[in-house]
Amino acid sequence: MLDLVTVILAAGKGTRMKSKLPKVLHKAAGKPMLQHVLDAAKAAGAKRNIVVVGFGGDVVKEAMGDQAEFVFQTEQLGTGHAVMQAAPLLKDEKGTVMVLCGDTPLVTGDLIAKLYEGHKAAGAKATVLTAIMPDSTGYGRILRTETGEVAGIVEQKDATEEQRQIKEVNSGIYCFDSQELFQALEQVGCDNAQGEYYLPDVLGILREQGKKIWAVAADDYESTLGINSRVQLAGAEKILRRRKNIELMDNGVTLMDPDSTFVDADVEVGPDTVIYPFTWLEGKTKIGANCQIGPNTRFSDTVIGNEVVAQFTYGHECVVDDGVTMGPYVHLRPNTHLSTKVKIGNFVEVKNSNIGVGSKLPHLSYIGDTDMGSGVNMGCGTITVNYDGKTKFRTTIGNDAFVGCNTNLVAPVTVGDGSYIGAGSTITKDVPASDLAIGRARQKNITGWADKRK
Ligand code: UD1
Ligand code: CA
C-alpha cells in the first residue's frame, strides 16, 4: 500500500455528453468511467480514495457504494474549487495527495504508480502528469522555461495562439504534497476566461513561492485521454477493448477475429479457449479453459467451467459447469445452473432452473422454474407450464426420467426417478418413480372411413 490518498473529481455535469446520466457513470468496456479510475487507484495501492461529486451526486454515490469516501461540491466552480471540498477530510494528511479526474477511464494502475514514484524521487511539492497529444485541442498546455523546467499550465481558453501550438498537455492528473496543495488552493482566483477556480494554477503559485514543481511524462498519450463527448467515449471504448483482447491473447486465449470480439474489462477467460467472431462477454463473466465460445454468443455475468461449447447462445446470470454443450440458438435466463456434461440443443430456453449431471434437452424446449436430476432425457418440444397467469410454480424431475416428445408438465408437478412419460402427454398429476404416465386422448382408427366418404 502506498502512502497516497487520491481525490477523484467527478462533480461536473458533462454538458457535452447531452445526457441525464452524470458523465462519470457512462460506461466504457462495461463499467462506469469512474469505476475504471477507482480500480486503477486501487491497483496502484492508494490507501484512501475520495470522490468529489456534484451533478447527480447521489446517483454517483449510490453506483459506487462503499468503495470510496464522498464529498459534495454543490456548485461547480472549477477543478480547484472541487479539490477544496476535500480539505476537511485531509486536514491531518501529511503525505501525498493525487488528484485524478473521473472522466479518464484509460488511466492504469501502472501509470498512477509511475507518477507517484516520479513525484517522490524528484522531491517535488507538485508534479503533473503530461502527455504529448496528436490533437491537443481543449487541454491545458504545459508551459516550460528555456531550460525545460515546468513554469505553469495555461488553459485552452486562456492561451495565446502561440501557446495553443504546444503539444504537451496537462493530463488532469497530479501529485501534491498535501499541506502545500491546500495552502496554495487558498490563493487560487477565478480571473480567467471561464471565471473558474483552476486547479492547474496551483503549480504556478507554488513555483512563485520557490517550491519545486515537476512533470512526469506518460509513455503513451492514450492512457491520459479525457472523455468529454460521446465520440470520445467511443474512442475510449475501442482502446479498452483492444487492450483487453491483447491481455486475453497474451494469456493463451485464441480470438478468431479480435475486431469482432467484445470483452468487458473485468471478464476472465482461461487458456486454450477459442472465441469465435461476434461474441460479447460482459460484466463479471468468467470462462474456463479449453472452451469453444461463439460464434454469435453473448454471456453477461455468467460463470462457465472448462471444456464448454456454446454457439449462438445468450446467457445471463447463470452458472454452467464443465463439459456442457449448448446451441445453436439457446437462451439461458437468470438463476440457471447447468451441471457437468448437460447438453442443450437447438431452440431451447432455460430459466431459473437446476439441470442435473448429463441431462439432455436436445430440441425446442422451454424449461422454467425446474429442478431436474441427472441423466434425464427431455424429448423434443417438451415444456414446463410454470405460470397460471398469477403465480409461478416449480417442476421437479427425478434422476433418469425419460420424458416423451411434446409433453406439457403442468406445475406444480413432480416426475419420479426413472419414470417414463408417453409422447404428447399433458401431465397434471405427479408421476411416481418407475411408472409410465400417458396423459393424452387415446387414438381411434375408423376403418375404411376415407373410402366411404367418396
Ligand atoms: C481539465 C484541466 C485541463 C486538462 C484537462 C485534462 C482545469 C481547469 N483544466 O480541463 O488543464 O488538460 O482537464 O482532461 O482543471 N470537475 C468538478 N468540479 C468542477 C469542475 C470540474 O468536479 O467544478 C470535474 C469534472 O467532473 C471532470 C474533471 O473535474 O471529471 C475535469 O473537468 P473538465 O470540465 O472536464 O475539465 P477540462 O476542461 O477537461
Ligand atoms: Ca475533461
Side-chain angles (χ1 to χ4, degrees):
M1 189 143 294
L2 304 179
D3 183 22
L4 173 68
V5 180
T6 71
V7 175
I8 304 173
L9 306 185
K13 178 166 189 276
T15 312
R16 288 160 282 183
M17 296 299 283
K18 307 228 167 76
S19 176
K20 286 189 178 139
L21 190 69
K23 175 166 79 174
V24 295
L25 291 187
H26 281 263
K27 287 183 180 176
K31 65 182 180 184
M33 292 200 266
L34 176 57
Q35 186 69 59
H36 283 280
V37 179
L38 258 176
D39 286 348
K42 286 190 233 165
K47 64 176 184 184
R48 259 177 100 182
N49 299 295
I50 299 169
V51 180
V52 182
V53 294
F55 176 81
D58 290 323
V59 186
V60 176
K61 205 176 153 185
E62 169 89 34
M64 295 296 127
D66 55 9
Q67 300 183 73
E69 297 164 63
F70 292 88
V71 286
F72 277 81
Q73 184 197 24
T74 39
E75 264 187 299
Q76 280 75 65
L77 302 178
T79 47
H81 180 259
V83 173
M84 273 297 250
Q85 310 310 303
L89 273 72
L90 293 171
K91 277 196 308 291
D92 304 322
E93 182 56 49
K94 301 271 187 288
T96 304
V97 171
M98 183 181 289
V99 177
L100 294 139
C101 292
D103 64 353
T104 57
L106 296 157
V107 69
T108 62
D110 286 348
L111 189 57
I112 288 176
K114 180 183 162 172
L115 172 61
Y116 175 79
E117 278 149 25
H119 172 74
K120 284 284 172 199
K125 298 299 180 197
T127 303
V128 56
L129 180 71
T130 74
I132 307 294
M133 284 287 167
D135 176 8
S136 54
T137 313
Y139 288 91
R141 311 296 204 283
I142 303 297
L143 306 177
R144 290 188 183 262
T145 63
E146 277 165 12
T147 52
E149 285 166 55
V150 180
I153 297 169
V154 62
E155 289 305 299
Q156 161 99 12
K157 288 185 177 145
D158 301 290
T160 62
E161 207 34 61
E162 199 182 332
Q163 288 169 332
R164 286 185 186 173
Q165 305 310 312
I166 299 170
K167 291 281 175 245
E168 189 184 17
V169 305
N170 170 19
S171 67
I173 304 175
Y174 328 72
C175 269
F176 297 100
D177 173 281
S178 180
Q179 304 285 325
E180 297 290 358
L181 167 65
F182 291 106
Q183 69 81 14
L185 272 174
E186 303 273 356
Q187 299 175 46
V188 171
C190 58
D191 182 16
N192 52 52
Q194 304 187 77
E196 286 184 3
Y197 297 90
Y198 289 166
L199 177 63
D201 286 359
V202 164
L203 276 85
I205 290 167
L206 290 175
R207 190 178 146 84
E208 292 281 293
Q209 294 176 351
K211 297 189 174 131
K212 184 167 185 182
I213 62 171
W214 194 247
V216 167
D219 298 327
D220 71 313
Y221 71 89
E222 281 185 346
S223 302
T224 68
L225 285 169
I227 306 308
N228 297 319
S229 68
R230 305 229 190 201
V231 171
Q232 290 172 336
L233 181 64
E237 177 92 27
K238 259 218 151 57
I239 295 167
L240 284 165
R241 296 207 177 280
R242 189 189 69 210
R243 273 189 197 166
K244 184 68 191 185
N245 285 347
I246 290 170
E247 173 202 309
L248 293 179
M249 292 186 282
D250 284 348
N251 287 326
V253 179
T254 295
L255 304 186
M256 299 287 257
D257 177 21
D259 287 342
S260 64
T261 305
F262 306 86
V263 185
D264 282 357
D266 292 339
V267 168
E268 294 171 27
V269 184
D272 288 323
T273 285
V274 177
I275 301 181
Y276 289 82
F278 296 102
T279 293
W280 285 260
L281 303 176
E282 301 171 325
K284 305 277 177 217
T285 294
K286 281 192 175 63
I287 293 186
N290 270 316
C291 296
Q292 293 175 48
I293 307 295
N296 292 65
T297 290
R298 178 181 183 198
F299 286 118
S300 306
D301 299 320
T302 289
V303 178
I304 290 184
N306 303 318
E307 275 147 30
V308 168
V309 177
Q311 48 178 325
F312 299 90
T313 293
Y314 175 36
H316 41 139
E317 294 162 55
C318 298
V319 176
V320 175
D321 293 348
D322 295 351
V324 169
T325 63
M326 19 180 177
Y329 309 107
V330 166
H331 187 185
L332 302 182
R333 291 171 54 199
N335 283 319
T336 290
H337 176 203
L338 306 181
S339 304
T340 312
K341 296 213 159 131
V342 161
K343 180 178 187 307
I344 312 280
N346 352 235
F347 301 102
V348 173
E349 173 179 343
V350 188
K351 184 210 84 171
N352 191 25
S353 295
N354 300 303
I355 309 296
V357 175
S359 288
K360 295 188 171 79
L361 289 74
H363 337 264
L364 302 160
S365 278
Y366 169 61
I367 304 300
D369 306 306
T370 296
D371 299 299
M372 188 184 295
S374 60
V376 172
N377 190 75
M378 297 293 271
C380 174
T382 292
I383 60 163
T384 53
V385 184
N386 62 325
Y387 186 48
D388 65 3
K390 276 199 192 128
T391 314
K392 304 261 167 72
F393 298 97
R394 289 197 81 81
T395 298
T396 304
I397 302 173
N399 297 331
D400 304 312
F402 185 96
V403 179
C405 290
N406 223 28
T407 294
N408 302 311
L409 298 167
V410 183
V413 72
T414 297
V415 176
D417 288 350
S419 62
Y420 278 71
I421 295 177
S425 293
T426 293
I427 298 297
T428 53
K429 289 189 297 200
D430 288 354
V431 181
S434 303
D435 277 15
L436 167 65
I438 303 170
R440 64 177 185 235
R442 201 172 264 278
Q443 180 176 335
K444 187 164 129 189
N445 294 342
I446 301 172
T447 310
W449 182 89
D451 289 338
K452 280 180 216 152
R453 188 169 171 252
K454 280 177 194 156

